[in-house]
Amino acid sequence: MRLRTPLTERLGIEVPIFQAGMAGFALPELAAAVSNAGGLGILGGHGLDVDDLRSAIAEVRRLTNRPFGVNLILPEDLRRPATEASLRGVADVQAALNPMRRTMGLTTQEGIPPAPAQNLNERIEVVLTERVPAFSIGLGNPEATLVERFHAAGTFVIAMATTKQDAVALADSGVDAIVAQGGEGGGHRSHFVKPATAAYGAVGTMVLVPEIVDSVKVPVIAAGGVVDGRSLVAALALGAQGALIGTRFLATRESAAVEVYKQALLAAESGETALTDVASGRYARVIRNAFSEGYGTGPVLPFGWQGGAVGDLFQGAREAGNAEFMALWAGQGTGRIVDLPGAGELVARIVREAQAVLAL
Ligand SMILES: Cc1cc2nc3c(=O)[nH]c(=O)nc-3n(C[C@H](O)[C@H](O)[C@H](O)COP(=O)(O)O)c2cc1C
C-alpha cells in the first residue's frame, strides 16, 4: 500500500490528507498550512458573506501556491429556508435558552431570532468564478447541472455522504470524489435532509467506507475518527484513497477555535461526545457540556433559525472564555488528542506514522 493514490495524483497533492473545511474554524491560515505541507487544505466557506469569502480565497492564494479547496454546505433548509410564519416552538426554544443566558449574565430573549442569511447562491457563484482547484460540499447534493458548471470552471468536486444511498445519488450527479462520513466524526452529519432521529445515518467509518467504496466508481475519502498515521492507513485499507480530517486539525495552532475550545478538545475523552440537534437544528456531534445537556428535550427551530436563536449565548460564551455554553463540535477522536501542534507539523507527523505502519 502506498500513500500516493490515484486521487492524490489527480489533485496534484503529495499525501492523502484532506483537512475538513470547518465553517468558522478553517480559515486561510489553516487551509494554507495544510496545502503547504502536501495535503489538501480546505477553506470553510459557510458563514462568510460574499465579500469575506472572496477575500479569504485571495488570502489562501497569497499564502500557498499549492492546490486547495473551498467548502460550502448545501442543505435543503438553506436552499428553501423556513419562513418566519412557519416557525413553531419559538417560545419553548427561548424558554430553554433563557436560564443559560441568565447564568452568563446575558439579556433574556422572547421573540423570533434573526433570520439566516439567504446568500447561498451568491456564495456558490463566488466559488465558481474564483475557479478554485477543489469545491467541497457538505450536507447536500449539488445535482448534475451545478457539478457541470464547476467542471467547466476546471474545479474538482468533492461531496460528503453518511449513507450508501446518498453516496450513490452524489455519484449520479457526477461529483469527482465522495467523502464517506462515519458516525464518529465531528460536526454536522452530512444528511441532505434532516432525518427523524440522530441514529439514522450514524453508521461508523469502519462499516461505511467499504460499503460506499463498493457502491460507487469514483474515489472515496474516509472521514470520521482519523487522527493519526494508524487511522489514515486503516482508512486506505478500507478502500479509501484519502482521509478527510476535522477534529484533529481543529486542535492545531492555525485553527480559529478559541483557546478554551482547544483546551476542551485536549481534555475530553472519546466517550464524552453526543449527537444532538440543539446547537443548530441539525444533528451534529459535539462534546457534551452544560449547553448540550441543559437544553432539555424541547423543540428546536429549523437549521439557520436555531443558529440565530443560540447566537447571542455562544457569542457571550466565546467572549467570556466559557466552554460550557458554546457548541463544541468534535468527533470521538477528541479522546486521542493530547497536543496542539502546527497544522503542517501535524501533516508531517501523520505521514511519518503512516509510513512506519506501512513498513511493518
Ligand atoms: C468543528 C467542525 C466544523 C465542521 N464544519 C464543517 C463544515 O463547515 N462543512 C462540512 O462540510 N463539514 C464540516 N465538518 C465535518 C467534517 O467535514 C468531517 O466530516 C468531520 O470532521 C470528520 O470527522 P472527524 O472530526 O472525526 O475528523 C465540521 C467538523 C468539525 C469538527
Side-chain angles (χ1 to χ4, degrees), residues 27-319:
L27 300 183
E29 295 70 25
L30 178 58
V34 173
S35 287
N36 282 333
L40 191 81
I42 303 180
L43 175 73
H46 175 67
L48 295 179
D49 69 25
V50 169
D51 291 340
D52 289 344
L53 179 57
R54 203 175 281 111
S55 14
I57 294 171
E59 182 63 3
V60 178
R61 288 199 156 111
R62 198 182 64 77
L63 296 171
T64 185
N65 52 19
R66 302 276 186 98
F68 66 94
V70 177
N71 175 271
L72 290 179
I73 57 169
L74 309 181
E76 289 294 324
D77 350 33
L78 284 190
R79 297 197 207 180
R80 278 174 280 283
T83 57
E84 255 184 53
S86 70
L87 297 178
R88 285 194 198 90
V90 171
D92 292 331
V93 168
Q94 300 294 20
L97 294 171
N98 278 337
M100 306 194 226
R101 292 189 175 111
R102 277 189 213 100
T103 306
M104 288 295 301
L106 299 168
T107 314
T108 56
Q109 307 287 333
E110 307 299 334
I112 291 176
Q118 300 203 358
N119 58 0
L120 181 59
N121 288 337
E122 283 116 293
R123 287 183 294 126
I124 292 173
E125 292 304 315
V126 170
V127 182
L128 252 172
T129 51
E130 287 291 330
R131 297 178 165 267
V132 300
F135 178 37
S136 136
I137 297 157
L139 285 71
N141 184 341
E143 313 290 351
T145 329
L146 187 60
V147 174
E148 281 159 19
R149 291 184 69 207
F150 273 94
H151 285 166
T155 298
F156 190 89
V157 181
I158 304 170
M160 187 158 71
T162 61
T163 63
K164 180 174 76 177
Q165 291 74 11
D166 282 357
V168 169
L170 291 173
D172 287 345
S173 295
V175 305
D176 302 297
I178 291 173
V179 176
Q181 187 200 37
E184 52 268 70
H188 285 96
R189 319 277 34 254
S190 198
H191 308 298
F192 304 164
V193 178
K194 184 183 178 184
T197 71
Y200 179 83
V203 175
T205 307
M206 185 80 120
V207 170
L208 187 70
V209 173
E211 195 172 43
I212 292 186
V213 166
D214 288 349
S215 308
V216 298
K217 293 203 173 69
V218 291
V220 172
I221 301 166
V226 178
V227 292
D228 60 10
R230 284 180 290 177
S231 34
L232 173 60
V233 173
L236 299 178
L238 294 173
Q241 294 197 27
L244 179 81
I245 304 179
T247 304
R248 180 58 272 203
F249 278 114
L250 196 58
T252 59
R253 285 203 292 277
E254 290 86 348
S255 118
V258 291
E259 189 56 29
V260 283
Y261 190 169
K262 292 183 183 176
Q263 292 303 323
L265 292 165
L266 294 178
E269 302 286 347
S270 56
E272 289 177 28
T273 69
L275 282 171
T276 178
D277 59 356
V278 300
S280 69
R282 279 254 187 177
Y283 292 112
R285 189 172 290 285
V286 299
I287 297 174
R288 292 198 302 267
N289 62 2
F291 168 74
S292 70
E293 300 303 283
Y295 187 94
T297 53
V300 298
L301 299 178
F303 189 70
W305 291 93
Q306 181 75 3
V310 298
D312 62 319
L313 181 66
F314 291 179
Q315 177 65 21
R318 269 194 302 274
E319 283 165 13

Side-chain angles (χ1 to χ4, degrees), residues 336-348:
R336 305 206 32 234
I337 296 176
V338 295
D339 60 359
L340 299 172
E345 222 174 292
L346 178 62
V347 171

